[in-house]
Amino acid sequence: MKLLIALDGSKFAEEVLGPAAELAARCGAEVHLLEVVKESESRPTRFISPTAGCVLGAGYEWPRGVPMRSPEHPIEMGVLVETAAQAEERTCCEAREYLDGVARRYFHGVAKTKVMLGENPAEEILDYIELEKVDLVAMATHGRTGLAKLLLGSVAAKLLRARAAPLFLVRPQKLPEWEA
């Protein structure tokens, strides 16, 4: 049996790991860990500022329409030290390290890990299910209904409608305050 566990790097998504690890152990399943990284989230965001003498990290975005050499900005001589391809590679590398850590903690390092790059996590998961002939998909779900489901969408709902593989869904008991 092949068990795919879909994660997104959040504590919420990790709530599936305990129950899925127990299920995998009882069934002797081959475990696959998958994270889909959105291409739009892997953009170059690291700049060196000779005037400030520091590197601005991943939370900094250069204002749209403002040239790099602008007297209104303290980073007038800033230098982009990461290309788009490097940003993509860094983001995927961080996701691989995360999945490798999950594999060690929950599956004694024997789980297969895969990072996929794409804008639609449900479509990427469906592609992986087909490619690897997955028997069961485990993931956490918010269990949204009504308007919230319509506005925010649901990866779990899309997978359920596609009927590519049975789903093992876990809805964490304690949702983050902003989602309750």
Side-chain angles (χ1 to χ4, degrees):
M1 177 173 138
K2 289 185 181 180
L3 171 63
L4 171 62
I5 303 172
L7 298 166
D8 64 8
S10 71
K11 293 294 180 195
F12 182 90
E14 288 181 4
E15 292 291 321
V16 73
L17 289 170
E22 185 177 331
L23 177 65
R26 288 178 187 247
C27 297
E30 177 182 303
V31 177
H32 294 243
L33 301 172
L34 174 67
E35 182 173 351
V36 177
V37 174
K38 289 189 175 183
E39 292 169 333
S40 61
E41 293 173 358
S42 62
R43 59 183 181 266
T45 54
R46 295 185 184 197
F47 298 89
I48 292 181
S49 167
T51 56
C54 64
V55 174
L56 300 175
Y60 183 82
E61 290 184 37
W62 193 259
R64 290 184 188 267
V66 176
M68 283 289 283
R69 294 179 182 263
S70 170
E72 297 88 37
H73 290 72
I75 311 174
E76 61 185 345
M77 305 266 307
V79 178
L80 180 65
V81 294
E82 186 176 58
T83 65
Q86 290 168 329
E88 186 177 290
E89 179 57 31
R90 174 184 46 81
T91 304
C92 289
C93 184
E94 289 167 357
R96 278 190 295 276
E97 288 173 5
Y98 165 73
L99 291 178
D100 289 344
V102 169
R104 283 190 302 276
R105 284 192 313 276
Y106 287 90
F107 305 101
H108 311 291
V110 295
K112 293 182 178 183
T113 61
K114 177 72 174 177
V115 175
M116 296 179 80
L117 194 64
E119 284 302 311
N120 187 332
E123 290 299 320
E124 299 300 330
I125 293 169
L126 288 169
D127 288 347
Y128 190 85
I129 290 168
E130 185 177 334
L131 178 71
E132 292 292 331
K133 307 293 186 241
V134 170
D135 298 301
L136 180 65
V137 178
M139 61 190 302
T141 182
H142 291 88
R144 293 185 181 108
T145 58
L147 186 59
K149 182 178 175 183
L150 269 176
L151 293 174
L152 299 171
S154 169
V155 173
K158 290 173 186 171
L159 296 178
L160 189 61
R161 281 193 300 273
R163 298 181 181 165
L167 299 179
F168 176 71
L169 300 174
V170 172
R171 185 171 192 258
Q173 294 298 316
K174 186 175 180 183
L175 293 172
E177 286 182 28
W178 55 273
E179 293 189 36

